C-alpha cells in the first residue's frame, strides 16, 4: 500500500454520504483535506470532527460546482499550502426525479446535467492543469452502475453517469503520457441522502429504496476509493463497480433475506 500521508485530497460533495465517508477514510490515512459542498455548516462540523478524531488539516469551501465562475475563482484563490492538489475525488452529484422521459421535469434534467457532468468538468478543468504541471496527481470520479447499465425512469441520470464514464476513459487516454492516474468508482445501491434528494425530500419514498435489502454503506464505497488512491504509482485501478451482494444489475435486486 502506497502512503498518501500529507497529500492534499480534494473531495467534492463532502457534506454527506459517500463524500463524507471519503473524507473520513482519507483523514484516517493521514491526508490533508480540501472539502467542498454547498452546505458550509455541515462541512465545518465535519472538519472539526476530523481534526479531533485524526488531527487532520482541513480546508472547507462553500462551493456550488454548477457555478463555473465560482469554481474557477475558488480553485485559483486557494491559499498557499492548499494549491497543489494531489488527489481529486469528483463525487458531488445527484439524481432528481424518477420518471419516464416523456413525463420528466426538465428542471430536474438541467440540475442533474449541470451538477453531474458540467460541475465535474468545471472542477476537473481547473484542477488537472496543476497536476499536469507538477507531473503528479490522481483523479477519481464517482460514476455509477447507472453509467454502465441504464434503467427505466432514470434516462437522464443514466445519461449523466454514462457521460462520467466517457470522460473518465477519454481523460485516461489524454493523460497516458504523464504519471497521472484516472480511476472511477461506480457504485450500485448505497444508503445515503441520495434517494431523499431524488424524491425531493419524500422521506417515506426514500426509505423504501433501502428497505429489506442489505445495501452498501458509504464507508464501503470510500474503502474502494481509498484502495484506488493507495496503489503503487505504476498501478492504475481504472474502474471499480461495487454493488450490494443482493444487487446483480441496475434492475435485478433481491428484496428480502438471501437464501
Ligand atoms: P448524498 O446526497 O448523500 O451526497 C451528495 C453530495 O453532493 C452532498 O455532499 C452534496 O452537498 C453534494 N452536492 C450536490 N450538488 C452539489 C453542487 N451543486 N455543488 C457542490 N456539491 C454538491 O448522495 P451520495 O453520497 O449517494 O452521492 C455521491 C455521489 O455518488 C453522486 O455522484 C452520486 O451520483 C453517486 N452515486 C450514489 C449512489 C447511491 O446509491 N447513493 C450510487 C451510485 C453513485 P450539498 O447538498 O451540501 O451541496
Ligand atoms: C445511483 C444508483 O441505481 O440508485 O447511481 O440510480 S441507482
Amino acid at each position: 500500500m502506497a502512503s498518501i500521508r500529507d497529500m492534499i485530497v480534494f473531495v467534492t460533495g463532502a457534506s454527506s454520504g459517500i463524500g463524507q465517508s471519503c473524507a473520513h477514510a482519507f483523514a484516517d490515512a493521514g491526508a490533508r483535506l480540501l472539502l467542498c459542498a454547498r452546505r458550509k455548516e455541515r462541512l465545518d462540523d465535519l472538519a472539526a470532527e476530523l481534526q479531533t478524531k485524526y488531527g487532520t488539516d482541513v480546508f472547507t469551501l462553500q462551493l456550488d460546482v454548477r457555478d463555473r465562475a465560482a469554481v474557477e475563482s475558488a480553485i485559483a484563490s486557494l491559499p498557499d499550502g492548499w494549491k497543489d492538489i494531489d488527489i481529486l475525488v469528483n463525487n458531488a452529484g445527484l439524481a432528481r426525479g424518477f420518471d419516464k422521459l416523456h413525463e420528466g421535469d426538465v428542471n430536474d434534467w438541467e440540475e442533474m446535467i449541470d451538477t453531474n457532468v458540467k460541475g465535474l468538468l468545471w472542477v476537473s478543468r481547473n484542477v488537472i492543469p496543476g497536476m499536469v504541471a507538477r507531473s503528479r496527481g490522481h483523479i477519481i470520479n464517482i460514476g455509477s452502475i447507472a453509467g454502465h447499465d441504464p434503467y427505466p425512469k432514470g434516462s437522464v441520470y443514466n445519461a449523466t453517469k454514462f457521460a462520467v464514464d466517457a470522460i473518465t476513459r477519454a481523460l485516461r487516454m489524454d493523460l497516458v503520457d504523464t504519471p497521472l492516474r484516472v480511476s472511477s468508482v461506480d457504485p450500485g445501491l448505497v444508503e445515503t441522502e441520495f434517494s431523499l434528494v431524488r424524491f425531493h425530500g419524500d422521506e417515506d419514498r426514500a426509505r423504501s429504496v433501502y428497505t429489506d435489502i442489505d445495501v452498501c454503506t458509504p464507508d464501503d464505497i470510500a474503502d474502494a476509493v481509498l484502495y484506488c488512491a493507495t496503489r503503487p504509482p505504476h498501478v492504475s485501478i481504472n474502474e471499480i463497480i461495487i454493488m450490494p451482494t443482493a444487487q446483480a444489475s441496475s434492475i435485478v435486486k433481491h428484496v428480502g433475506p438471501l437464501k
Side-chain angles (χ1 to χ4, degrees):
M1 172 162 158
S3 173
I4 54 163
R5 181 155 294 282
D6 295 328
M7 285 193 187
I8 299 178
V9 181
F10 181 17
V11 181
T12 69
S15 62
S16 169
I18 294 168
Q20 184 175 293
S21 284
C22 286
H24 276 275
F26 281 107
D28 197 22
R32 302 174 64 216
L33 290 177
L34 189 53
L35 305 176
C36 87
R38 293 164 299 179
R39 289 170 292 180
K40 175 85 159 82
E41 210 181 305
R42 280 196 183 206
L43 290 180
D44 289 339
D45 290 347
L46 174 61
E49 193 184 342
L50 298 175
Q51 273 148 1
T52 308
K53 200 165 171 190
Y54 315 98
T56 313
D57 199 9
V58 186
F59 189 84
T60 60
L61 277 173
Q62 181 168 34
L63 185 63
D64 185 333
V65 297
R66 294 172 298 177
D67 184 339
R68 177 155 57 108
V71 170
E72 272 173 28
S73 131
I75 294 170
S77 46
L78 284 170
D80 286 344
W82 287 100
K83 291 184 192 297
D84 295 349
I85 295 166
D86 295 295
I87 299 170
L88 166 62
V89 182
N90 271 317
N91 164 77
L94 79 182
R96 281 286 197 202
F98 189 71
D99 306 290
K100 294 188 180 203
L101 186 133
H102 63 282
E103 294 165 352
D105 179 334
V106 296
N107 294 311
D108 286 345
W109 299 358
E110 290 211 298
E111 195 175 353
M112 289 186 278
I113 293 165
D114 287 349
T115 309
N116 301 359
V117 184
K118 291 164 79 177
L120 179 144
L121 288 171
W122 304 153
V123 173
S124 301
R125 181 65 182 85
N126 285 281
V127 171
I128 298 172
M131 291 179 164
V132 171
R134 293 186 295 279
S135 290
R136 178 185 165 96
H138 193 162
I139 301 101
I140 305 173
N141 292 332
I142 306 301
S144 170
I145 184 60
H148 300 270
D149 182 22
Y151 55 85
K153 299 188 175 177
S155 56
V156 177
Y157 179 72
N158 296 165
T160 67
K161 291 300 184 177
F162 268 77
V164 171
D165 184 53
I167 292 164
T168 303
R169 288 160 56 192
L171 177 62
R172 190 178 304 119
M173 295 179 210
D174 291 342
L175 296 173
V176 71
D177 58 349
T178 77
L180 274 65
R181 290 178 286 180
V182 186
S183 306
S184 79
V185 173
D186 300 343
L189 280 173
V190 189
E191 187 162 4
T192 63
E193 293 176 14
F194 178 86
S195 292
L196 192 63
V197 171
R198 162 167 259 175
F199 299 128
H200 294 276
D202 182 336
E203 292 184 6
D204 290 340
R205 199 168 173 202
R207 206 173 302 114
S208 72
V209 174
Y210 311 113
T211 302
D212 293 332
I213 177 163
D214 195 6
V215 295
C216 288
T217 68
D219 288 351
D220 296 327
I221 311 309
D223 201 28
V225 173
L226 187 68
Y227 179 81
C228 293
T230 52
R231 294 312 89 204
H234 67 289
V235 176
S236 171
I237 304 297
N238 291 352
E239 172 183 296
I240 295 180
I241 297 180
I242 173 170
M243 302 205 284
T245 305
Q247 181 178 13
S249 76
S250 275
I251 52 172
V252 178
K253 300 164 199 171
H254 181 76
V255 177
L258 299 176
K259 289 177 195 157

